[in-house]
Amino acid sequence: QVQLVESGGGLVQAGSSLRLSCAASGRTFSSYGMGWFRQAPGNEREFVGGISWSDSSTYNADSVKGRFTISRDNAKNTVYLQMNSLKPEDTAVYYCAAYRSSWKVVDYWGQGTQVTVSS
């Protein structure tokens, strides 16, 4: 069992930066791939990016490439999403996720944290 708690969301202006954190509990954290998703009002939840459990390789959605960076600290059971050059279209609830095999099959979700970017 893995519990995920996000933090770090807030209201910022366009062009600003934010760092989201996702603290995981559970002794098998390092065995899971970790990902970030987001959902804006009226939209489906979309994949933002992920980081593997084995070699910490990362992969991002095209919409955030070059602006968002994912990292993890297995010693702290924490995964981060560094968001730079934020745009109003990045406004959404951001969710942390843990998965065994692929980000397309999420095993655990966090409760979400709101990010609002004003123009």
Side-chain angles (χ1 to χ4, degrees):
Q1 188 78 4
V2 176
Q3 290 81 43
L4 306 173
V5 179
E6 302 96 334
S7 62
L11 171 63
V12 297
Q13 291 187 333
S16 299
S17 298
L18 272 179
R19 189 177 79 158
L20 305 183
S21 298
C22 174
S25 61
R27 56 187 177 90
T28 60
F29 170 77
S30 61
S31 299
Y32 286 84
M34 300 296 296
W36 288 94
F37 292 73
R38 66 185 182 185
Q39 187 168 19
N43 291 356
E44 293 185 353
R45 191 171 298 189
E46 65 170 344
F47 174 72
V48 174
I51 185 166
S52 73
W53 68 268
S54 57
D55 60 3
S56 292
S57 57
T58 61
Y59 32 96
N60 292 332
D62 288 342
S63 59
V64 304
K65 279 182 180 177
R67 300 189 298 123
F68 291 11
T69 303
I70 296 174
S71 60
R72 66 189 295 164
D73 186 336
N74 286 342
K76 295 183 178 180
N77 280 10
T78 302
V79 63
Y80 305 97
L81 180 65
Q82 178 67 43
M83 306 185 293
N84 298 328
S85 302
L86 282 162
K87 305 175 181 180
E89 51 264 43
D90 294 318
T91 295
V93 177
Y94 283 71
Y95 297 90
C96 178
Y99 43 88
R100 284 281 194 185
S101 58
S102 165
W103 61 265
K104 297 180 181 180
V105 184
V106 172
D107 295 286
Y108 302 102
W109 292 99
Q111 85 288 350
T113 185
Q114 176 71 46
V115 172
T116 303
V117 184
S118 64
S119 57

